[in-house]
Amino acid sequence: MTINWSMKEKEEYDKLSVIYDDLYAPTWPRGPNLEGLISYLVTFSGGNNICEVGVGTGNVIGLLYNLGYKNFTGIDLSSKMMEFAKQKVPNLITIEEDLRDTNYSGFDWILSVGSIYNRISNEDKKKLFSKMYNEMDEDALFFVGLRNYTYNYAFETEKITSGKETKAGRFEIEYKHEWISHDCYYGVAYYVDLETNQKFDYTYKTYVISEEDLVKMITDVGFTHINTGRPKDTGYYSNIWVFKKK
Ligand SMILES: C[S@@+](CC[C@H](N)C(=O)[O-])C[C@H]1O[C@@H](n2cnc3c(N)ncnc32)[C@H](O)[C@@H]1O
């Protein structure tokens, strides 16, 4: 049976939405990781009409909203994740769709800062960046953030096949990866909430790409790479590459 990975991702995030913030942002709105990212983003001009793809529970735009940024559109496959985002940004416009189908015109910042593209094949990434280049407003900025783990570490060092960690002092996570090609693996993560004893699992397919190849892919369609934020500036969100059309 062929798996529809977009459908699967939606189902998985709908399921994880109830624990997502306890797991990844237990101290929201405080926390050095998000604060690092936000203090980097606010150094750029604009932000009058912000679109975040893979907006999830809105932890990033929620902080921008608290700082006085006003207009937000969230794109996500998971309506359940976005229900939590609406609690942080009451006037959030939500669109439940695959970011490959999004119309990118009309925004001055497009944020993709939560490793969204690691679920999209490298062929599809090329098509997406080209579509974005054609649709984005002339002066709009495009911010792309990817965790080091996937894009540099896993790609350049020994391929990780399993691991175990405890997050937020509360969730035990065990994961297994099966590499199916040099740049793609299937993964499954098992979560145990040690407070409630609830169990969750999350199945995913990840595509990896090196930093150099990603930046090249985006500049090859016409974008200009104007800045790179490194983890010392951006916290958990690690590298953020910023692009402009001209
Ligand atoms: C790791 S969460 C990141 C959330 C948010 N950006 C943050 O940093 O807190 C990834 C989100 O991307 C969404 N997502 C994954 N693939 C997507 C796609 N192809 N189109 C739209 N949303 C997608 C998931 O449903 C999930 O809510």
Side-chain angles (χ1 to χ4, degrees):
M1 194 186 73
T2 319
I3 295 178
N4 176 332
W5 284 99
S6 286
M7 192 80 89
K8 181 85 183 145
E9 183 83 344
K10 175 198 161 39
E11 284 167 12
E12 297 297 67
Y13 269 100
D14 275 354
K15 196 169 70 183
L16 286 176
S17 62
V18 292
I19 55 162
Y20 188 87
D21 280 355
D22 289 334
L23 184 58
Y24 290 109
T27 60
W28 195 94
R30 292 173 313 282
N33 295 325
L34 281 162
E35 281 159 10
L37 171 70
I38 299 299
S39 51
Y40 177 70
L41 293 179
V42 300
T43 62
F44 292 87
S45 61
N48 300 312
N49 202 352
I50 300 173
C51 172
E52 185 180 358
V53 294
V55 66
T57 59
N59 290 323
V60 175
I61 56 166
L63 290 176
L64 292 171
Y65 175 80
N66 290 352
L67 286 178
Y69 290 81
K70 289 197 169 56
N71 302 308
F72 298 93
T73 299
I75 310 291
D76 207 290
L77 292 165
S78 164
S79 54
K80 293 223 174 353
M81 289 288 277
M82 290 195 291
E83 278 168 25
F84 290 94
K86 277 194 216 157
Q87 291 171 17
K88 295 171 187 136
V89 180
N91 65 341
L92 174 66
I93 297 169
T94 56
I95 304 177
E96 188 184 335
E97 68 181 4
D98 191 305
L99 60 89
R100 281 167 281 207
D101 300 326
T102 296
N103 178 346
Y104 288 92
S105 65
F107 306 107
D108 66 347
W109 282 10
I110 290 161
L111 307 179
S112 166
V113 290
S115 303
I116 309 304
Y117 299 141
N118 59 12
R119 298 283 177 264
I120 295 179
S121 74
N122 293 335
E123 271 318 299
D124 272 13
K125 283 201 228 7
K126 276 188 209 159
K127 287 189 208 143
L128 170 68
F129 297 141
S130 176
K131 172 175 153 58
M132 290 179 76
Y133 185 78
N134 291 332
E135 292 177 355
M136 274 170 57
D137 291 0
E138 284 309 306
D139 292 323
L141 297 178
F142 172 35
F143 299 82
V144 185
L146 298 167
R147 298 283 303 281
N148 268 345
Y149 166 68
T150 305
Y151 280 78
N152 293 331
Y153 186 74
F155 192 64
E156 287 167 7
T157 64
E158 188 185 345
K159 304 248 161 96
I160 295 168
T161 51
S162 64
K164 203 170 181 175
E165 59 181 308
T166 304
K167 255 200 182 347
R170 170 171 164 187
F171 294 94
E172 212 169 70
I173 308 172
E174 203 172 345
Y175 56 89
K176 293 187 172 57
H177 294 166
E178 185 194 339
W179 287 84
I180 53 168
S181 69
H182 77 286
D183 65 356
C184 182
Y185 63 81
Y186 291 118
V188 57
Y190 302 96
Y191 301 80
V192 182
D193 181 341
L194 299 171
E195 266 178 29
T196 63
N197 223 17
Q198 273 184 296
K199 294 185 173 65
F200 297 84
D201 56 81
Y202 171 34
T203 305
Y204 45 93
K205 188 176 184 185
T206 294
Y207 296 89
V208 297
I209 186 170
S210 68
E211 166 172 349
E212 294 72 27
D213 287 350
L214 180 83
V215 171
K216 183 171 183 317
M217 201 184 265
I218 298 175
T219 50
D220 275 355
V221 302
F223 283 104
T224 303
H225 176 207
I226 59 165
N227 202 270
T228 302
R230 294 295 180 189
K232 65 178 169 36
D233 313 307
T234 59
Y236 161 89
Y237 284 84
S238 58
N239 300 326
I240 303 282
W241 296 282
V242 189
F243 300 90
K244 208 174 175 175
K245 272 179 90 161
K246 50 182 186 185

